[in-house]
Amino acid sequence: MAGTQVKILVPGNHLMAGLLGQRDELLRLVEGAFDGARISVRGNEISIEGDGAERVGALFEELIILLESGQGLDAVQVHRTIDMMHDDIRPSEVLTSQLLRSSRGRAVRPKTSGQKQYADAIASNIVTFGIGPAGTGKSYLAVALAVQALQAHQVNRIILTRPAVEAGERLGFLPGDLMAKVDPYLRPLYDALHDLLEPEGAQRLIDRGAVEVAPLAFMRGRTLNDSFIILDEAQNTSPEQMKMFLTRIGFGSKAVITGDVTQIDVPGGRSGLVGLEQVLSGVPDLAFVHLNQRDVVRHRIVADIVAAYERKVPGEGSGEP
């Protein structure tokens, strides 16, 4: 029985080159992902025949939309669009959504459907939990959305915090005062902030109190109003610390809690993140978003390593880099 045939007309040679890739690298990648489809190219027309032809045709149409929006295509991005098509998600709805522009003029966008779901959850809830492995952009996207909210005057300040858990080192042996000792724990949040804002701009916000970076212990006894609060590495909180943090949230505030339950370093293994979804189930304006290896946006080998650990040693880990 003859399969379906689909024809796609690509509007312009410049788009055709971007769509197929160097030496048709991207075309071969698409062919390898859809075994039942046969793809042929003549001029600006792409013909697809066989099983899955309609889905492959829809994929090429989505890739054309991305090219027309000014985005370049590479093997990593095509892999992501293929994953989304397999999940019946439109890549153009995910990858053209811009959160803000960094200090270098680079558009900050969700790069996977999981990241888009995470960003949407933060926008529409007061408290959002982003749970997933290293490299899924949990902290970076949270900081990006915090900067967006501050620039739009939706909040008066950003508060970045994380627990200072001793993972193989002891704070007492580190040089300097308390803030100097905890600074290495907070460095990933500083790095994200400096990437999104010019270093001088970020420092000015810190100096005038619009951005506060502090260890979780400094949150005790405070009520945080009109703030965008990010608790990073939440798997290393104790249950008591997690409750303390969640009850700090005041009027006009939004909180994002990120963590990876496979990388728990808290003494005794009593993580305030484990089992919390069941405890908070049904609380309004609160969402849990789970990211996985498909949402890893570092080098592709990182996603493969995460997947290998999930298969072979579930529950193990040594701290997110």
Side-chain angles (χ1 to χ4, degrees):
M1 183 174 67
T4 305
Q5 183 179 54
V6 173
K7 292 182 182 294
I8 304 294
L9 186 63
V10 181
N13 291 330
H14 65 295
L15 292 181
M16 197 70 184
L19 193 61
L20 302 182
Q22 264 191 327
R23 301 186 185 88
D24 293 346
E25 172 199 11
L26 302 181
L27 176 63
R28 302 281 87 83
L29 198 159
V30 173
E31 284 182 323
F34 297 88
D35 294 335
R38 298 179 299 280
I39 306 172
S40 59
V41 178
R42 179 176 295 177
N44 281 11
E45 186 179 80
I46 300 174
S47 298
I48 310 111
E49 296 181 341
D51 297 335
E54 291 182 352
R55 178 162 287 189
V56 176
L59 170 64
F60 277 118
E61 289 176 344
E62 290 289 308
L63 294 174
I64 290 169
I65 292 172
L66 295 178
L67 288 168
E68 289 179 327
S69 73
Q71 297 191 48
L73 296 180
D74 57 19
V76 171
Q77 190 160 26
V78 171
H79 271 298
R80 289 178 186 146
T81 60
I82 290 168
D83 286 343
M84 291 181 214
M85 294 300 293
H86 283 312
D87 292 337
D88 294 321
I89 295 166
R90 289 192 62 190
S92 61
E93 293 181 353
V94 173
L95 300 174
T96 60
S97 173
Q98 182 174 309
L99 303 179
L100 80 162
R101 287 194 171 273
S102 72
S103 60
R104 302 166 190 170
R106 179 175 54 85
V108 178
R109 296 185 174 96
K111 295 182 178 179
T112 69
S113 56
Q115 287 192 351
K116 178 66 162 57
Q117 181 189 2
Y118 177 50
D120 289 346
I122 293 172
S124 57
N125 289 281
I126 296 173
V127 179
T128 303
F129 290 82
I131 300 172
T136 51
K138 304 182 300 294
S139 305
Y140 190 87
L141 285 176
V143 174
L145 287 162
V147 170
Q148 179 197 51
L150 184 66
Q151 291 176 341
H153 305 291
Q154 295 169 353
V155 296
N156 294 331
R157 60 180 169 169
I158 298 170
I159 298 175
L160 310 174
T161 185
R162 64 191 304 190
V165 173
E166 301 178 16
E169 298 182 35
R170 296 194 61 81
L171 288 173
F173 290 103
L174 296 174
D177 59 15
L178 177 60
M179 284 309 297
K181 291 176 188 291
V182 300
D183 187 73
Y185 295 96
L186 302 168
R187 181 51 51 187
L189 296 174
Y190 279 115
D191 290 344
L193 190 64
H194 287 172
D195 188 55
L196 292 161
L197 301 167
E198 293 181 0
E200 296 82 6
Q203 190 59 50
R204 279 196 301 272
L205 291 174
I206 292 171
D207 290 343
R208 68 180 176 89
V211 173
E212 179 182 345
V213 187
L216 180 59
F218 284 23
M219 299 298 108
R220 188 174 301 277
R222 302 176 62 184
T223 299
L224 306 174
N225 295 319
D226 300 312
S227 304
F228 196 118
I229 315 149
I230 299 170
L231 170 58
D232 196 33
E233 297 285 353
Q235 76 276 2
N236 287 329
T237 62
S238 67
E240 294 78 13
Q241 286 176 319
M242 178 62 77
K243 182 180 179 182
M244 178 272 291
F245 172 79
L246 292 174
T247 54
R248 299 306 95 199
I249 301 167
F251 292 105
S253 289
K254 187 180 289 283
V256 179
I257 299 96
T258 72
D260 178 1
V261 293
T262 70
Q263 300 193 27
I264 295 172
D265 296 317
V266 67
R270 289 181 64 247
S271 170
L273 193 58
V274 174
L276 192 60
E277 188 166 1
Q278 289 75 27
V279 173
L280 299 179
S281 176
V283 174
D285 298 316
L286 184 150
F288 281 81
V289 178
H290 294 269
L291 304 167
N292 57 40
Q293 67 265 24
R294 280 193 175 185
D295 300 302
V296 171
V297 294
R298 297 181 186 171
H299 193 290
R300 191 164 184 85
I301 196 172
V302 176
D304 294 337
I305 290 169
V306 169
Y309 266 90
E310 288 181 353
R311 288 194 304 269
K312 301 295 184 183
V313 282
E316 292 192 9
S318 58
E320 182 173 349

